[in-house]
């Protein structure tokens, strides 16, 4: 018998629509707790309401609590974990767990785009699918997964792409790594191995700044006069910035504040290609760290994890690059 730990955290999957106002909000009781679902015959569910929060309320300290609870469950011998979560920050919680726990056992996150009493509600189906994936042998050593709308995505690359569509979760460039069918769980891609860092704290202030045409350095200049522990920049194209930002960036770098750069583009990777003022080559030479394959919200968490683990400056660069 496989024991699957289910951790409910809240989100639309645990909410109801008010028929009078149309507003969606948490119900008095989590509807998933009493829902009738079909689970594999060899599976026993251990269910906990660990949080009841809309996902914009989820903070890194909540992610840390989830990590610690999962590690306790691993020691207790559970076979897998399913986490129900609001979709707004689901990819960040999944990435945090993937970066700190990794492949120790199947960890699957799922959610819903329509609340439990809305027409076409997708929550129960996604929940059942997540349990099926977490309990299948093929999910082992795949890292943390997100299962929604019959697709299996890697936490490392997936992102929310639509405000309301049930097919909101997409993986840029690579696509899903697997599918949930009526009778089978199919995995079609393997991921490259990455380093995982087990941390005990999530301290640090790391803002995200998005580049745009006509950008000057005032905002970055202001950050240089505040207490920040790092900065993530969504740069233009392959990794370029307007030259008016360079002076302010240099002030942060002189203070030994790590600056991580990603592209604001949906597909492709950031890399130091262009050799002009503000181009990627100059930024890398200045000490800006290129993070080539994840988005800004995940790069922020990766930098936060690295700083709390206490990596040296050289180790941090290698960790962010990979």
């Amino acid at each position: 018998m496989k024991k699957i730990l289910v951790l409910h955290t809240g989100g639309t999957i645990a909410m109801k629509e008010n028929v009078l106002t149309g507003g969606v909000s948490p119900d008095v009781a989590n509807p998933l707790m009493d829902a009738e679902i079909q689970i594999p015959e060899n599976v026993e569910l251990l269910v906990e309401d660990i949080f009841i929060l809309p996902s914009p309320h989820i903070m890194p300290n909540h992610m840390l609590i989830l990590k610690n609870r999962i590690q306790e469950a691993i020691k207790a011998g559970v076979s897998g974990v399913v986490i129900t979560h609001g979709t707004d920050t689901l990819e960040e919680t999944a990435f945090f767990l993937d970066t700190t726990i990794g492949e120790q056992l199947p960890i699957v996150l799922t959610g819903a785009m329509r609340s439990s009493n809305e027409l076409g509600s997708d929550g129960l189906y996604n929940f059942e699918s997540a349990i099926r994936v977490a309990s299948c042998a093929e999910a082992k050593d795949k890292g943390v997964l997100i299962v929604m709308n019959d697709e299996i995505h890697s936490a490392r690359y997936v992102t929310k792409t639509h405000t309301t569509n049930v097919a909101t979760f997409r993986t840029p460039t690579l696509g899903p790594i697997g599918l949930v069918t009526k009778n089978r769980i199919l995995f079609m891609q393997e991921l490259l191995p990455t380093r995982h860092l087990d941390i005990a704290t999530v301290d640090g202030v790391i803002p995200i700044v998005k580049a745009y045409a006509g950008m000057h350095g005032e905002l970055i200049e202001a950050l240089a006069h505040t207490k920040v522990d790092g900065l993530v920049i969504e740069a233009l194209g392959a990794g370029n910035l307007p030259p008016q930002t360079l002076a302010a960036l240099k002030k942060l770098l002189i203070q030994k504040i790590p600056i991580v750069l990603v592209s604001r583009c949906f597909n492709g990777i950031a890399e130091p290609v262009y050799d002009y003022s503000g181009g990627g080559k100059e930024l890398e030479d200045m000490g800006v760290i290129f993070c080539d394959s994840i988005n800004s919200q995940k790069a922020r968490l990766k930098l936060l994890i690295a700083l709390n683990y206490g990596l040296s400056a050289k180790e941090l660069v290698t960790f962010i690059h990979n």
Side-chain angles (χ1 to χ4, degrees):
M1 182 69 71
K2 291 185 177 181
K3 293 184 178 180
I4 303 296
L5 175 65
V6 176
L7 299 174
H8 294 307
T9 70
T12 300
I13 195 169
M15 295 183 184
K16 285 189 175 180
E17 181 184 45
N18 186 306
V19 294
L20 298 177
T21 67
V24 177
S25 60
D27 197 15
V28 175
N30 184 346
L32 291 175
M33 296 296 281
D34 300 319
E36 293 185 9
I37 58 172
Q38 293 183 343
I39 62 174
E41 291 182 359
N42 64 332
V43 168
E44 176 187 355
L45 299 184
L46 309 173
V47 183
E48 298 178 16
D49 252 341
I50 193 166
F51 310 127
I52 308 176
L53 294 171
S55 64
H57 296 192
I58 296 288
M59 305 287 284
N61 63 296
H62 296 108
M63 301 176 193
L64 188 63
I65 291 170
L66 285 170
K67 178 194 78 75
N68 292 338
R69 179 65 189 95
I70 292 169
Q71 289 175 326
E72 289 175 9
I74 292 172
K75 293 177 183 177
V78 302
S79 302
V81 177
V82 170
I83 300 171
T84 64
H85 197 291
T87 58
D88 285 352
T89 59
L90 187 149
E91 67 189 83
E92 288 163 85
T93 296
F95 181 82
F96 180 91
L97 296 174
D98 189 58
T99 309
T100 55
I101 297 178
E103 295 89 11
Q104 294 183 44
L105 82 174
I107 300 172
V108 179
L109 283 83
T110 192
M113 295 302 292
R114 295 172 184 162
S115 59
S116 61
N117 63 334
E118 286 185 83
L119 185 65
S121 175
D122 54 333
L124 278 184
Y125 181 80
N126 287 336
F127 186 35
E128 283 190 8
S129 298
I131 293 169
R132 287 178 59 198
V133 172
S135 60
C136 78
E138 295 81 2
K140 198 172 180 182
D141 302 322
K142 295 291 194 300
V144 177
L145 304 171
I146 291 177
V147 172
M148 287 187 67
N149 201 43
D150 286 333
E151 293 183 340
I152 307 170
H153 292 266
S154 163
R156 197 177 307 170
Y157 303 120
V158 72
T159 190
K160 185 175 181 178
T161 66
H162 196 287
T163 56
T164 57
N165 197 306
V166 294
T168 182
F169 281 96
R170 300 291 189 200
T171 297
T173 305
L174 303 174
I177 66 169
L179 298 174
V180 178
T181 75
K182 291 291 184 183
N183 302 309
R184 300 174 62 192
I185 306 298
L186 299 174
F187 285 96
M188 300 172 292
Q189 293 191 52
E190 293 290 337
L191 295 175
L192 296 173
T194 58
R195 185 180 179 189
H196 309 291
L197 303 180
D198 188 2
I199 56 174
T201 58
V202 283
D203 301 326
V205 177
I206 303 173
I208 298 172
V209 173
K210 187 168 187 172
Y212 51 88
M215 183 181 187
H216 290 268
E218 290 91 343
L219 178 56
I220 299 172
E221 176 78 30
L223 292 173
H225 297 285
T226 62
K227 182 170 173 37
V228 295
D229 300 285
L231 174 65
V232 173
I233 298 178
E234 278 193 31
L236 307 171
N240 312 300
L241 291 172
Q244 292 84 354
T245 64
L246 298 181
L249 288 176
K250 289 175 182 176
K251 290 186 179 181
L252 286 174
L253 292 168
I254 288 172
Q255 297 176 43
K256 305 296 183 184
I257 294 172
I259 300 175
V260 173
L261 181 146
V262 301
S263 174
R264 73 177 193 178
C265 297
F266 182 71
N267 281 300
I269 64 173
E271 56 185 348
V273 174
Y274 289 97
D275 193 8
Y276 50 69
S277 181
K281 283 188 173 293
E282 180 179 14
L283 295 173
E284 186 180 52
D285 290 342
M286 287 169 52
V288 174
I289 308 168
F290 276 66
C291 186
D292 61 16
S293 58
I294 58 177
N295 59 28
S296 60
Q297 53 268 37
K298 292 178 181 178
R300 177 187 172 276
L301 285 171
K302 194 168 189 180
L303 179 55
L304 183 71
I305 290 166
L307 293 177
N308 278 271
Y309 192 80
L311 294 182
S312 68
K314 185 177 180 181
E315 290 173 329
L316 188 146
V317 171
T318 301
F319 179 68
I320 296 297
H321 275 319
N322 296 329

